Amino acid sequence: MKRFRTRLIFGLMAASLFVLASLGLIIGQLVKGFYVDQLEDRLGKEAALSAYALEDIPAEEWQSFSEGIKDRLDVRVTIIDQNGEVQAETELSPDELENHGDRPEITEAEDNGGTNIRFSETVQSELLYFAYPFTYGEAEEGHLRLALPVERIDNINKQIWLFVGISFSIAFILILFLSYRIANQLTQPIGQVTDVANELARGNFKARTYAGTKDEIGQLTRSINVLAYNLDQITSRYKTQQERLEALIDNMGSGLIFINDRGDITLVNQYCNSIFDTDTDKWLNELYHEVIEDKTLVKLIQEVFLTEAKVRRQMQMNAKLQVHQYEVYGAPIIGDKEKLRGIVLVLHDITELKKLEQVRKDFVANVSHELKTPVTSLKGFTETLLDGAMEDPDARKQFLDIIWKESDRLQDLISDLLELSRIEQEYFHLNWQDVKVDKAVYEVIELLYPKAEEKEISLLADYPQGLVMPGDTARFKQIMINLINNAIVYTPAGGRINVTITKETDMVKLVVADTGIGISKDEWPRIFERFYRVDKARSRNSGGTGLGLAIVKHLVEAHQGHIDVESEKDKGTTFKIFFPAEKKKD
């Protein structure tokens, strides 16, 4: 914008300078010509008047007359007779002068006189001459010539040009000042508009310009402000929608991939990082078959490209040393004129659904198996009794004892199943109260001590007195009973079980450690599954249902705590449970 203002000012100055210079030259020449004309007219009138007066003066007095004219008019006076001889001269002696009959002003002089400007050899100066005829003697005609130095004209001309130059310089300065003001008034709003336009081009839609006048420039600035406001609103809405779309895509809980018609990946959300166990942001603008390593997925993409039809398929992928199940949905993106623009892939993680389905199948199978054994025993021994064994008192008592044990086992299994089902319901809530930890531990140890003593197992407990924590006393005791009972079942005779409770900052820590058969590290993730047994024969013979640890896990989570396990094969197992010392807000 400075360049435009500079060009405008220089243009105005050049035009003004040209006009003023031209006008100055014209006016100077006109004034000079007018002055010379006025000077010639004056000199002519003076010459005519002097010639008229000279007609009555005798020739012998011409010299003195000439001197008088010179003194009065401050001019050079020359009187020339009919023959061209100089009879009187105010600058030199007439005798020293040559014949002047051939002088231009003399030869051109008529009734109105003759004038000429030329260099005078006599006085060595350029003079303005005016010759006027007069009559003397017996009708003889002479010429009276007056002359002025041209220097006077030059001095006057210099004054004229000085006046013109000063006047026009002042005018030029005024025009320069006014042009600068006008140029600023014109270009400043344009400059502001340009700055705002540049800011808009750079994406700053908050830029505004001042709109003060009501002329075309003001309308332009107001239009730019309206444009900036509209762009700001549109951009804000676009950014909001873009942020919402990006948040939706990145947090949709499924993998999303867009591939254009050339096979380049143009969009991939953050969830794909966990699916493919890599930084999928590096896939952008890369060919899909060069970055996707899973061949099954590559074939699915190729199938969508070839058939231009929707494809839905389940497949498994390995990520982070785990096998995940995904339902992949691929669909073509059809643009105008039925032209394929690309495809979209959506990957739903159905690993948990598959696990739940497998758990359901395992649960049905385990329940059927667990129920089948006691039911088969009940049926078999009942048939034996009915076939005649009931007549034998010893056999009858033996079989009835077995039927009693199997019935008791069946009842325990059904009770644990009902208990686990009740705990897993959404409406299950603990009876929150202050749990007296020392009293609860004492009662559990007293309850299980005979069973441990029967197996010759040392059962020791270490806990602080007066410790209180929030929870459900009955459920807390149930947790301890299941853990200690498991330890008794899986610890051989002569072993040791230590129960320790400590207060750690904001947690209450319960530790149940035994010296039993232990658990291999591969089995750690499964010990909290329903009906899972580390030693199936030992636990089944002990009357266990395989649901104890599953119940423990749910009850610990209901207490807002968590459980850890450390174990090594044939070296014992340690369960660590952490309860919050204060109830957390839901």
Side-chain angles (χ1 to χ4, degrees):
M1 186 46 56
K2 291 183 178 179
R3 292 180 58 191
F4 173 71
R5 183 176 63 182
T6 303
R7 291 199 306 270
L8 179 60
I9 293 175
F10 273 105
L12 291 174
M13 291 301 98
S16 301
L17 185 62
F18 175 76
V19 171
L20 290 176
S22 302
L23 189 60
L25 289 174
I26 294 172
I27 293 176
Q29 292 297 330
L30 289 175
V31 172
K32 178 182 177 182
F34 177 76
Y35 175 74
V36 172
D37 290 342
Q38 290 293 322
L39 189 61
E40 288 180 352
D41 184 61
R42 191 204 79 178
L43 197 61
K45 290 179 180 180
E46 290 174 350
L49 183 62
S50 299
Y52 178 74
L54 188 60
E55 291 181 350
D56 297 331
I57 297 175
E60 56 272 13
E61 296 180 5
W62 285 359
Q63 184 65 36
S64 61
F65 178 79
S66 300
E67 296 293 339
I69 296 297
K70 175 186 177 182
D71 293 337
R72 287 174 173 79
L73 301 179
D74 191 21
V75 293
R76 177 186 175 186
V77 181
T78 305
I79 300 175
I80 305 166
D81 61 14
Q82 185 175 359
N83 299 320
E85 295 295 333
V86 176
Q87 298 299 323
E89 170 63 47
T90 58
E91 297 297 328
L92 294 174
S93 174
D95 297 336
E96 298 178 3
L97 298 175
E98 59 184 10
N99 191 288
H100 279 40
D102 59 348
R103 296 295 190 266
E105 62 274 10
I106 302 299
T107 58
E108 294 178 2
E110 296 179 354
D111 293 340
N112 294 326
T115 182
N116 189 31
I117 297 177
R118 57 183 176 81
F119 184 79
S120 172
E121 296 292 341
T122 303
V123 297
Q124 294 295 311
S125 178
E126 192 171 18
L127 301 174
L128 169 63
Y129 293 99
F130 196 98
Y132 200 88
F134 70 95
T135 304
Y136 67 93
E138 296 179 1
E140 295 178 331
E141 186 177 273
H143 291 86
L144 174 66
R145 188 182 70 175
L146 301 181
L148 283 174
V150 176
E151 292 178 357
R152 294 186 184 180
I153 300 175
D154 292 340
N155 290 335
I156 295 299
N157 189 42
K158 289 180 181 179
Q159 292 179 4
I160 292 172
W161 283 113
L162 179 62
F163 174 76
V164 171
I166 293 174
S167 301
F168 279 84
S169 296
I170 294 173
F172 182 76
I173 293 173
L174 291 175
I175 292 174
L176 177 62
F177 175 74
L178 293 176
S179 299
Y180 183 80
R181 291 290 302 274
I182 293 172
N184 272 343
Q185 290 179 356
L186 290 176
T187 58
Q188 187 175 8
I190 298 176
Q192 293 176 354
V193 170
T194 303
D195 292 339
V196 172
N198 290 333
E199 289 296 321
L200 296 179
R202 285 191 287 267
N204 179 18
F205 300 119
K206 299 292 184 182
R208 297 292 185 272
T209 182
Y210 174 72
T213 60
K214 295 183 179 180
D215 55 8
E216 291 81 356
I217 296 295
Q219 293 178 3
L220 175 62
T221 54
R222 283 189 289 273
S223 299
I224 286 292
N225 287 339
V226 172
L227 175 62
Y229 175 79
N230 291 336
L231 288 175
D232 185 31
Q233 294 298 311
I234 293 172
T235 304
S236 297
R237 288 195 293 268
Y238 172 76
K239 286 183 178 179
T240 301
Q241 293 175 355
Q242 187 72 14
E243 290 173 356
R244 290 176 179 173
L245 180 60
E246 290 177 357
L248 175 64
I249 291 175
D250 286 336
N251 299 282
M252 63 185 298
S254 298
L256 182 67
I257 302 175
F258 281 101
I259 304 174
N260 63 18
D261 56 343
R262 294 189 300 273
D264 298 326
I265 297 176
T266 57
L267 186 146
V268 56
N269 68 349
Q270 294 298 316
Y271 192 79
C272 289
N273 291 343
S274 60
I275 293 177
F276 297 98
D277 194 20
T278 185
D279 185 6
T280 54
D281 290 337
K282 297 179 180 179
W283 290 6
L284 292 176
N285 302 317
E286 299 289 339
L287 291 172
Y288 70 89
H289 56 78
E290 293 181 355
V291 293
I292 298 178
E293 297 180 355
D294 192 282
K295 302 303 180 183
T296 306
L297 183 59
V298 171
K299 289 181 179 179
L300 186 145
I301 296 172
Q302 292 173 346
E303 181 179 346
V304 176
F305 270 116
L306 292 174
T307 62
E308 297 186 10
K310 298 177 182 179
V311 176
R312 186 189 298 271
R313 192 166 299 158
Q314 292 185 4
M315 60 181 64
Q316 68 178 28
M317 299 181 189
N318 297 327
K320 297 181 180 179
L321 303 178
Q322 295 181 0
V323 177
H324 288 267
Q325 299 286 338
Y326 292 96
E327 183 177 52
V328 182
Y329 177 77
I333 303 173
I334 307 299
D336 297 336
K337 300 180 181 179
E338 301 298 322
K339 183 179 180 181
L340 181 66
R341 297 294 185 183
I343 68 170
V344 59
L345 292 178
V346 181
L347 295 89
H348 299 288
D349 190 348
I350 58 173
T351 304
E352 293 300 323
L353 293 177
K354 287 291 185 180
K355 286 183 178 179
L356 290 175
E357 184 180 354
Q358 187 62 39
V359 167
R360 180 182 61 81
K361 292 179 181 179
D362 292 343
F363 178 75
V364 172
N366 289 329
V367 169
S368 300
H369 179 73
E370 294 293 334
L371 291 175
K372 181 180 179 181
T373 302
V375 169
T376 301
S377 298
L378 290 173
K379 184 178 180 180
F381 288 113
T382 302
E383 289 178 353
T384 303
L385 289 173
L386 292 174
D387 287 342
M390 60 186 305
E391 302 299 333
D392 184 352
D394 294 333
R396 182 172 66 246
K397 184 177 185 308
Q398 179 184 0
F399 291 163
L400 289 175
D401 287 339
I402 294 173
I403 291 173
W404 172 263
K405 290 180 180 179
E406 292 297 331
S407 299
D408 192 45
R409 178 182 171 188
L410 184 60
Q411 183 179 1
D412 290 341
L413 177 62
I414 294 173
S415 298
D416 285 347
L417 283 172
L418 292 174
E419 178 71 8
L420 183 61
S421 176
R422 185 164 50 252
I423 292 173
E424 289 179 340
Q425 295 297 327
E426 293 182 359
Y427 54 79
F428 172 75
H429 295 288
L430 297 177
N431 181 22
W432 287 94
Q433 56 185 291
D434 289 336
V435 178
K436 297 179 180 180
V437 177
D438 52 351
K439 182 179 179 181
V441 174
Y442 176 79
E443 291 176 356
V444 171
I445 296 298
E446 285 294 317
L447 177 66
L448 297 177
Y449 188 80
K451 186 175 181 179
E453 187 177 25
E454 183 180 348
K455 284 192 65 176
E456 299 179 359
I457 297 174
S458 175
L459 177 59
L460 304 175
D462 183 15
Y463 49 90
Q465 296 295 323
L467 180 61
V468 178
M469 73 172 207
D472 187 328
T473 302
R475 298 299 182 180
F476 178 75
K477 292 168 66 175
Q478 186 178 1
I479 292 171
M480 292 189 61
I481 290 171
N482 283 342
L483 289 176
I484 297 174
N485 188 62
N486 265 7
I488 294 173
V489 170
Y490 290 103
T491 301
R496 185 178 68 256
I497 300 174
N498 292 325
V499 179
T500 306
I501 295 181
T502 56
K503 175 74 182 310
E504 297 182 357
T505 59
D506 58 346
M507 303 296 290
V508 175
K509 181 179 178 182
L510 166 63
V511 179
V512 178
D514 62 56
T515 59
I517 62 174
I519 307 169
S520 64
K521 197 169 184 179
D522 295 338
E523 294 180 300
W524 287 7
R526 301 196 61 190
I527 60 176
F528 296 104
E529 293 181 8
R530 301 174 181 86
F531 300 111
Y532 185 80
R533 295 183 176 89
V534 176
D535 187 338
K536 296 178 175 57
R538 182 192 298 257
S539 59
R540 185 172 285 115
N541 293 334
S542 67
T545 62
L547 298 174
L549 289 181
I551 295 173
V552 168
K553 180 173 180 287
H554 285 288
L555 290 178
V556 170
E557 292 174 351
H559 278 84
Q560 302 174 344
H562 62 278
I563 184 170
D564 292 334
V565 60
E566 295 178 1
S567 183
E568 190 174 348
K569 193 69 173 175
D570 299 325
K571 292 187 178 180
T573 303
T574 301
F575 286 94
K576 297 179 181 178
I577 303 177
F578 298 87
F579 298 98
E582 295 182 1
K583 183 181 178 183
K584 300 177 183 178
K585 294 182 180 180
D586 295 335

